[in-house]
């Protein structure tokens, strides 16, 4: 399930220090670890990683709700932070070292690690690195070859630099929320998404690899800055450009498309079953009508060509849905795909572990974690033939699991000193009783 | 020209995801030669939007956004000469990326085995909707359908309503960022080993995996038997302001946790309420929501969404304006950071495109205009393959370019 260390991977020999947290950061560090980088998660026993948990003592009522679903068997007892599914999924193949950056001793250890690191990636709030004494100026003076990535929500300059934000905040400010509402309601009915998080992580994994190539030529590291909000602006490019070119400020597209019709999500037989449909051409529409058993629709003047269909969506959608309602989603997907009409089930995640396509592609890998046992997670997101990325290098680390390997092995800290640091609670493998977030 | 100067990429991809990935590379200096079909070109040349709603293949907004800093050549890959030319370009490439339907690249004479003969050191990255193998391999989908089959659309829905898609094309932009990261991985691997690489990337795999609600939700289900992200009843569960509120010119989004009650009171200019004996003990009791709304709404309805956001953020409260596209185009933060880049359009005029999604302070890139269809055919064929200009005329007369 995990691979021997001798196998060659693309980012072999690249050492990453990571404070890549919550959702956005781990998606980036996961890609780097999957590609073979040595990723060392910098943690603290005095401050709980938000990727591992939200409270030192998990409130029992939270364990019964959505939050509890993250933890193995909804068990919130001591050590829950090592049984967090999100952490264990994304931090596979990482190492964990606890050095308390709030202490002089911890910071010195961190500086020592920076000396031989290639990358340091962090998405703390914009002011955190200065407060901790780990700013770019400080760290690049220690290691001029260091590549550091900072990616707070709104970047590290400008009027919103210190704005507090979560997923919904960012999506709202960059216009995404306004575009994706239901057509018949105000934004209060728009479901929350966290699309900017994986997007940020993917761009971090891209940016650092560009910087590694640049460093081969310049011999120097650099600071890379990312605004998670700005990276999402690209995703609304169609509407932004339409505003410039044609003065339209579009809003609440619902499930409609700029040019295709019919287009959207249609209810099928059964509970909460839907078919997503995208009809790109007159030919595809004619084939849809054949499968529906209503070929006359294809010549109905309201629907006869793309422009007519687009203008009569309010008429067309109920006709399509009256048909889909009589059939199963999976049946319709297969029938329509066989006829060359783009159609897809709205898949339920609870059923994806049995999806024949995902199974054949090895989408799920098993990882054996010391505290969580053998669990299935999505595999690295590309299949490489020459340097296969699966199996992954190993499970996610428990808190401070690699303190000895990293501090004694890499930094050469003596056994005596190591034990002293443990006594002083600079390092450890359990959060202190008063650990905060 | 940028940190990737000297890296040669033969780009046979079209649409959104893979072109977004190669745009990140071309904007950072890689020499991306984009091969398009003579006459039709990339499908994004027909996506629009178009200036003044007049369709033109060189002035489609999506093409302009996705293909900055690339060179375009046209080649008919159905002709023997076209295939010969593409093979010779592949011999000079560090990386070949394609997004044909599975099986097509082999028919065009540029499959993994052929590329192995031509250029054993090159990486070949194949990007497709469902990957090169698997039962759904030949399914036709667009961005919404791939998102639906990836499982995330099912939970993007208000309680009791139909699933709601995200912005048009946004799922494939997200996938494109992931494609870029693994493409660079394939490039690095092929260069360190000297033995090339063959990467099979499925957009469906990516969307089903993507944090937050793909992979993490699947992992949660594996750990506890239930999902973490599910459809939520949006009803407010405490008296504290939470969710969408009106402003004089639109809407704002407000998050107020119990420990931020003082920040909320300061925001609305009512510090007297911080220790209010009536409200303070009842902040978690939803029955008191109307009393808080009664002081909040009048304050909101005298202010713009931008003013409300700034007032909240000044107190450290996560308040945001729900901006329209017009607001974003004129946003003071994006303007102060110089985010948008004015880029020339073929045929005149400029368009302000979203700028760098990340900023490399040491080795910045440069965003140059997207090419007109076949704009660089002569340049690339003469410079790379030693054709004379007259040779290219002959190829054009034969319909190859």
């Amino acid at each position: 399930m995990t691979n021997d260390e001798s196998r060659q991977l693309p980012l072999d020999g690249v050492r990453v220090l990571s404070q890549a947290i919550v959702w956005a950061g781990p998606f980036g560090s996961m890609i780097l670890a999957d590609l073979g980088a040595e990723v060392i998660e910098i943690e603290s026993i005095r401050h709980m990683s938000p990727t591992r948990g939200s409270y030192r003592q998990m409130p029992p009522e939270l364990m019964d709700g959505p939050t509890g679903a993250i933890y193995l068997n909804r068990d919130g007892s001591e050590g829950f932070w090592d049984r967090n599914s999100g952490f264990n999924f994304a931090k596979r193949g990482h190492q964990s070292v606890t050095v308390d950056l709030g202490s002089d001793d911890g910071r010195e250890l961190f500086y020592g690690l920076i000396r031989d690191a290639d990358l340091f990636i962090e998405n703390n709030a914009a002011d955190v690195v200065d407060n901790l004494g780990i700013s770019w100026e400080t760290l690049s003076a220690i290691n001029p070859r260091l590549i550091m990535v900072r990616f707070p929500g709104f970047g590290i300059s400008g009027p919103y630099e210190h704005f507090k934000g979560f997923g919904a905040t960012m999506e709202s400010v960059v216009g995404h929320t306004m575009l994706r509402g239901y057509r018949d309601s105000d934004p209060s009915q728009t479901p929350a998404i966290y699309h900017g998080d994986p997007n940020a992580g993917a761009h971090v994994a891209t940016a650092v690899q560009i910087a590694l190539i640049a460093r081969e030529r310049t011999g120097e590291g650099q600071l890379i800055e990312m605004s998670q909000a700005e990276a999402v602006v690209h995703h609304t490019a169609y509407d932004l450009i339409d505003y410039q070119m044609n003065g339209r400020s579009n809003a609440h597209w619902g499930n409609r498309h700029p040019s295709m019709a019919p287009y959207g999500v249609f209810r099928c037989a059964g509970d909460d079953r839907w078919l997503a449909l995208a009809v790109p051409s007159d030919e595809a529409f004619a084939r849809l009508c054949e499968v529906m058993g209503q070929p006359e629709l294809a010549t109905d003047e309201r629907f006869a060509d793309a422009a007519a269909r687009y203008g009569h969506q309010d008429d067309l959608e109920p006709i399509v849905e009256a048909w889909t309602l009589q059939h199963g989603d999976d049946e319709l997907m297969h029938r329509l795909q066989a006829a060359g009409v783009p159609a897809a089930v709205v898949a339920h995640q609870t059923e994806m572990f049995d999806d024949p396509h995902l199974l054949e592609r090895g989408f799920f890998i098993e990882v054996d974690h010391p505290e969580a046992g053998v669990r299935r997670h999505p595999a690295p997101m590309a299949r490489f033939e020459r340097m296969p990325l699966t199996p992954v290098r190993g499970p996610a680390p428990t808190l401070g699991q690699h303190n000895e390997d990293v501090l004694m092995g890499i930094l050469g800290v003596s056994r005596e000193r190591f034990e002293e640091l443990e006594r002083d609670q600079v390092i450890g493998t359990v959060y202190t009783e008063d650990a905060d977030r | 020209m940028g940190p990737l100067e000297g890296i040669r990429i033969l780009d046979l991809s079209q649409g959104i995801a893979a072109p977004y990935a190669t745009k990140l590379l071309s904007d950072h200096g890689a020499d991306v030669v984009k091969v398009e079909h003579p006459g039709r070109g990339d499908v994004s040349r027909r996506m629009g939007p178009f200036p003044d709603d007049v369709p033109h293949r060189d002035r489609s907004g999506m093409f302009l956004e996705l293909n900055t800093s690339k060179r375009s050549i046209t080649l008919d890959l159905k002709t023997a000469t076209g295939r010969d030319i593409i093979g010779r370009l592949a011999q000079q490439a560090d990386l070949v990326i394609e997004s044909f339907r599975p099986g097509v690249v082999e028919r065009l004479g540029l499959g993994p085995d052929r590329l192995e003969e031509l250029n054993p050191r090159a990486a070949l990255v194949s990007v497709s909707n469902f990957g090169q193998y698997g039962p759904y391999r030949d399914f036709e989908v667009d961005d919404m359908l791939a998102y639906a089959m990836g499982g995330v659309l099912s939970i993007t829905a208000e309680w009791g309503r139909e699933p709601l898609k995200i912005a048009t094309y946004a799922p494939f932009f997200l996938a494109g960022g992931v494609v870029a990261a693994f493409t660079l991985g394939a490039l690095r691997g092929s260069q360190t080993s000297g033995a090339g690489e063959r990467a099979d990337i499925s957009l469906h795999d990516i969307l089903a995996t993507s944090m937050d609600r793909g992979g993490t939700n699947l992992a949660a289900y594996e750990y506890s038997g239930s999902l973490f992200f599910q459809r939520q009843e949006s009803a407010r569960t405490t008296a504290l302001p939470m969710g969408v509120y009106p402003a004089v010119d639109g809407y704002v989004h407000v998050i107020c946790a119990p420990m931020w009650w003082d920040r909320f009171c300061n925001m609305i200019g009512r510090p007297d309420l911080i220790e209010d004996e009536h409200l303070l003990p009842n902040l978690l009791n939803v029955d008191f929501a109307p009393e808080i709304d009664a002081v909040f709404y009048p304050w909101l309805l005298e202010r713009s969404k931008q003013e409300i956001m700034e007032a909240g953020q000044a107190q450290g409260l996560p308040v945001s304006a729900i901006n329209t596209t017009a607001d974003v185009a004129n946003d003071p933060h994006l303007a102060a950071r110089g985010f948008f880049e004015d880029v020339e359009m073929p045929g005149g005029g400029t368009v302000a495109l979203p700028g760098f999604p990340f900023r490399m302070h040491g080795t910045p890139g440069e965003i140059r205009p997207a090419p007109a269809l076949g704009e660089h055919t002569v340049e690339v064929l003469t410079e790379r393959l030693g054709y004379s200009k007259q040779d290219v005329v002959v190829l054009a007369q034969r319909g190859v370019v």
Side-chain angles (χ1 to χ4, degrees), chain A residues 30-353:
Chain A
M30 175 175 77
I31 294 173
L32 296 175
D34 284 352
L35 286 169
E38 176 194 7
V39 186
I40 302 173
E41 194 72 6
I42 304 296
E43 306 199 64
S44 164
I45 58 170
R46 294 173 179 278
H47 307 284
M48 180 170 280
S49 162
T51 322
R52 289 186 182 270
S54 321
Y55 297 87
R56 178 61 183 83
Q57 314 288 340
M58 270 296 171
E61 63 272 23
L62 273 188
M63 298 310 291
D64 295 333
T67 301
I70 297 172
Y71 297 95
L72 184 65
N73 301 327
R74 291 186 178 271
D75 176 4
S77 65
E78 195 73 352
F80 62 85
W81 52 81
D82 289 332
R83 302 185 299 268
N84 180 311
S85 58
F87 186 94
N88 289 352
F89 156 53
K91 295 294 183 181
R92 65 220 187 172
H94 291 46
Q95 302 178 50
S96 165
V97 59
T98 58
V99 291
D100 178 27
L101 294 173
S103 73
D104 291 343
D105 285 339
R107 201 158 40 243
E108 282 306 318
L109 292 170
F110 178 74
Y111 290 160
L113 289 172
I114 283 290
R115 260 176 219 113
D116 288 315
D118 297 290
L119 309 173
F120 174 44
I121 61 179
E122 66 91 27
N123 61 324
N124 295 296
D127 54 358
V128 169
V129 291
D130 288 335
N131 296 342
L132 289 176
I134 55 170
S135 67
W136 163 246
E137 289 70 23
T138 304
L139 300 184
S140 60
I142 295 170
N143 176 4
R145 287 176 57 81
L146 181 72
I147 295 160
M148 177 169 170
V149 188
R150 301 190 53 196
F151 53 117
F154 291 98
I156 55 173
S157 69
Y160 305 168
E161 176 186 355
H162 296 290
F163 275 20
K164 271 180 119 58
F166 300 99
T169 316
M170 217 169 58
E171 302 274 348
S172 298
V173 173
V174 299
H176 196 186
T177 305
M178 203 62 191
L179 287 171
R180 58 185 189 83
Y182 290 107
R183 292 171 56 77
D184 59 359
S185 75
D186 70 27
S188 67
Q189 283 207 19
T190 303
I193 60 168
Y194 305 86
H195 179 74
D197 288 325
N199 187 54
H203 281 87
V204 166
T206 299
V208 299
Q209 293 186 77
I210 295 174
L212 286 169
I213 294 170
R215 195 179 67 176
E216 286 166 16
R217 192 160 21 197
T218 65
E220 290 174 8
Q222 64 177 301
L223 174 66
I224 299 169
E225 169 205 349
M226 206 183 91
S227 151
Q228 297 185 33
E230 284 172 355
V232 172
V233 173
H234 283 274
H235 300 208
T236 67
Y238 182 91
D239 295 278
L240 265 169
I241 296 171
D242 195 28
Y243 171 72
Q244 290 181 58
M245 290 179 168
N246 300 302
R248 284 185 286 266
S249 185
N250 303 312
H252 285 217
W253 279 96
N255 285 327
R256 288 193 176 169
H257 184 272
S259 63
M260 285 189 237
Y263 190 93
V265 174
F266 298 86
R267 190 182 284 275
C268 297
D271 180 31
D272 194 23
R273 295 284 155 177
W274 307 87
L275 185 78
L277 189 63
V279 177
S281 64
D282 295 345
E283 293 74 21
F285 182 65
R287 294 193 292 267
L288 168 68
C289 297
E290 287 290 336
V291 177
M292 289 171 69
Q294 301 176 56
E296 69 281 4
L297 285 178
T299 51
D300 186 318
E301 64 178 23
R302 293 172 299 166
F303 313 134
D305 64 33
R309 282 194 303 281
Y310 201 81
H312 292 95
Q313 291 180 80
D314 290 342
D315 296 340
L316 183 53
E317 286 166 359
I319 297 173
V320 174
E321 191 157 84
W323 174 70
T324 58
L325 266 169
Q326 298 166 25
H327 300 275
D329 53 352
D330 204 53
E331 173 211 329
L332 289 184
M333 172 174 78
H334 283 95
R335 281 173 64 194
L336 288 169
Q337 286 285 354
V341 181
V345 298
V346 178
H348 290 251
Q349 286 171 308
T350 53
E351 296 166 5
M352 286 170 63
F353 288 92

